[in-house]
Amino acid sequence: MSFAKIYTRGLLGLHAPLIEVEVHVSQGLPSLTIVGLAEAAVRESKDRVRSAIINSGFQFPTKRLTINLAPADLPKDGSRLDLPIALGILMASGQTPEHVTDQLEFIGELALDGQLRPITGVLSIAIACQQSGHQLVLPEHNAQEASQLPQFEIFAAKHLKDVCEHLSNQQPIQQYQSHTPATLDQYKFDLADIKGQSRPRRALEIAAAGGHSLLFKGPPGTGKTLLASRLASILPPLAMQENLEVARIYSVANTSHSFGQRPFRAPHHTASAIALVGGGSHPKPGEITLAHLGVLFLDELPEFDRKVLEVLRQPLESKEIVISRASRQMTFPANFQLIAAMNPCPCGYAFNQDTRCQCSADAIKRYQNRISGPLLDRIDLHLDVPPLQAHELQDTSPVENSQTVRERVIQAYGQQIQRQNCLNHALSPKQLEQFAPLNTQTQSIMEMAQQRLNLSARGYHRVLRVARTIADLSQHTDIQSQHLTEALSYRAPQS
């Protein structure tokens, strides 16, 4: 046979489109041509493949080889096509059996001696392969990651020769046993570590229960970062499908992540816009996508470049980020929970007339104006974190731990999903009319609050969403005046 077709996968954002590797062996001067929009790493595979085939005990054809990667208009990058290209050459030259790969897909990078090396994005490839009803042959080092997908047939190989012997039925590779990884319920940090700060703890619980964004403001050393780092520990555990969704993102980004735990990302304030939202010539997930279904913590918020912060405005509303390039668009999920922290002034001590602050009124105003009004308007809860007193630091009485608070949060979550099939932070204005109606008393409170606080329409709706969450935590069907008053207290100008 002078023609062979092998199935494999590419990577396009979080998706793994099918690629057909077509190999044709014909008479002519010895050459190897790769067509089909192959980029540098794929074009270089010809040298790796040649050495791997020879060092595996096979003959490299001394004929004219043409390799087509279909579809031709899809860019092909990376080294994951080495294995299917090598198998296509061996099959087209008659060194391996024909028509045994119809239900198989192959991925893997080849070393010069024929060893299989791991590649990135395996989980996305495995999900697409399973949806096509195919089995997957992949490097042994990637088998553990792919096995996170339940009820999926995987064959893990160490060497090109192992794959060829499997196809010829000389020494079949045993199917790798897929298993569901144990979810980790233990977080590194616990809310019991926080002394005092009852009001910030309460705000943290409300934010967790309704998926709301939160801004802590206060002088250095009051526990803003400490509080923020505990948010993930009081969020409900991820469902299996959500775990796979998060693991898929980290697989494409080639970044480690503890399966079963909600992501917690805390980029440095020198991060660029591309680092935050993703991008590059081959778009990769940014911090907001890596924080999907978890927490994005921005410490020292005014120290971020203003243009960098402005790119958060659209993802905070749409819960996704669309990266456009000349040839294509890619959409990455970005359903993250924003929590931020900032000092009130450049020196940090402009809080309750603290005499240590030497900043002028203009310097304080310039510092706080580094954050735009539209971005602040998109943050649901604004809260001052006051300095702790000595007696609070010395208090050794037990406080609620993360597990206790998480139980209340889970209960509120359940109420929201049962009532409206989404969390309160995602309620539309139309849904607010249905699920968060106001009586005569609460309507009067909101009218006065809007006049005094100059609430925008967005701010008005965000107050209602927070009040709905507070009512859920109190297990009330309707929003009461005390729920609305508390919600407004997180919106009022402070410090």
Side-chain angles (χ1 to χ4, degrees), residues 146-356:
S147 70
Q148 296 175 13
L149 197 62
Q151 299 178 347
F152 180 51
E153 297 183 16
I154 303 166
F155 297 96
K158 296 180 180 179
H159 200 279
L160 173 62
K161 191 173 182 179
D162 296 340
V163 180
C164 295
E165 289 176 349
H166 174 74
L167 296 177
S168 61
N169 210 27
Q170 294 178 13
Q171 190 172 348
I173 301 172
Q174 294 299 315
Q175 182 178 327
Y176 192 89
Q177 295 300 317
S178 299
H179 67 280
T180 303
T183 56
L184 300 176
D185 202 23
Q186 296 295 322
Y187 284 85
K188 185 178 179 182
F189 303 114
D190 195 281
L191 206 58
D193 303 331
I194 308 294
K195 290 183 178 292
Q197 303 295 17
S198 57
R199 183 169 163 80
R201 285 172 61 102
R202 169 68 172 171
L204 207 62
E205 181 178 342
I206 295 170
H212 303 291
S213 49
L214 171 64
L215 172 63
F216 284 136
K217 181 179 175 183
T222 57
K224 302 185 296 296
T225 303
L226 205 66
L227 284 158
S229 63
R230 271 66 182 168
L231 178 57
S233 69
I234 63 174
L235 292 172
L238 292 170
M240 184 60 191
Q241 192 58 41
E242 292 174 327
N243 272 316
L244 288 174
E245 194 174 343
V246 171
R248 181 182 185 180
I249 293 169
Y250 279 79
S251 175
V252 170
N254 196 24
T255 305
S256 62
H257 171 68
S258 298
F259 190 89
Q261 290 193 351
R262 288 185 180 268
F264 182 87
R265 304 294 299 183
H268 193 261
H269 61 257
T270 56
S272 66
I274 289 178
L276 208 60
V277 302
S281 55
H282 301 291
K284 292 291 181 69
E287 291 291 340
I288 64 173
T289 300
L290 294 172
H292 179 61
L293 298 178
V295 179
L296 177 70
F297 176 46
L298 302 183
D299 201 4
E300 305 294 347
L301 189 64
E303 300 299 332
F304 281 82
D305 186 272
R306 181 167 177 149
K307 292 180 180 179
V308 172
L309 290 178
E310 293 306 293
V311 301
L312 291 175
R313 286 160 56 175
Q314 181 262 339
L316 277 171
E317 298 284 349
S318 65
K319 302 302 178 183
E320 64 179 18
I321 181 70
V322 179
I323 299 174
S324 299
R325 293 293 177 265
S327 58
R328 70 188 88 89
Q329 280 188 340
M330 292 186 188
T331 301
F332 292 111
N335 186 13
F336 62 93
Q337 192 166 349
L338 176 65
I339 183 167
M342 64 176 287
N343 295 325
C345 69
C347 78
Y349 295 106
F351 186 89
N352 288 344
Q353 290 81 45
D354 193 321
T355 56
R356 290 176 293 178

Side-chain angles (χ1 to χ4, degrees), residues 19 34 59 61 171 202 206 320 395-396 430 470 481-482:
I19 295 176
I34 298 178
Q59 296 293 320
Q171 190 172 348
R202 169 68 172 171
I206 295 170
E320 64 179 18
D395 187 7
T396 58
K430 190 70 177 176
I470 295 171
S481 58
Q482 65 268 25

Side-chain angles (χ1 to χ4, degrees), residues 411-429:
Q411 185 177 39
Y413 252 62
Q415 290 177 333
Q416 295 166 58
I417 298 301
Q418 184 178 9
R419 181 179 61 235
Q420 67 227 12
N421 202 31
C422 68
L423 295 183
N424 289 331
H425 78 90
L427 287 172
S428 66

Side-chain angles (χ1 to χ4, degrees), residues 16 53 55 94 123 125-126 166-167 170 209 235 284 377 394 399 407 428 441 455 459 477 479 489-490:
I53 287 176
N55 290 324
L123 199 54
I125 292 169
H166 174 74
L167 296 177
Q170 294 178 13
L235 292 172
K284 292 291 181 69
D377 201 38
Q394 295 166 359
V399 294
E407 289 173 0
S428 66
Q441 183 181 9
L455 293 176
T477 305
I479 296 176
S489 72
Y490 298 120

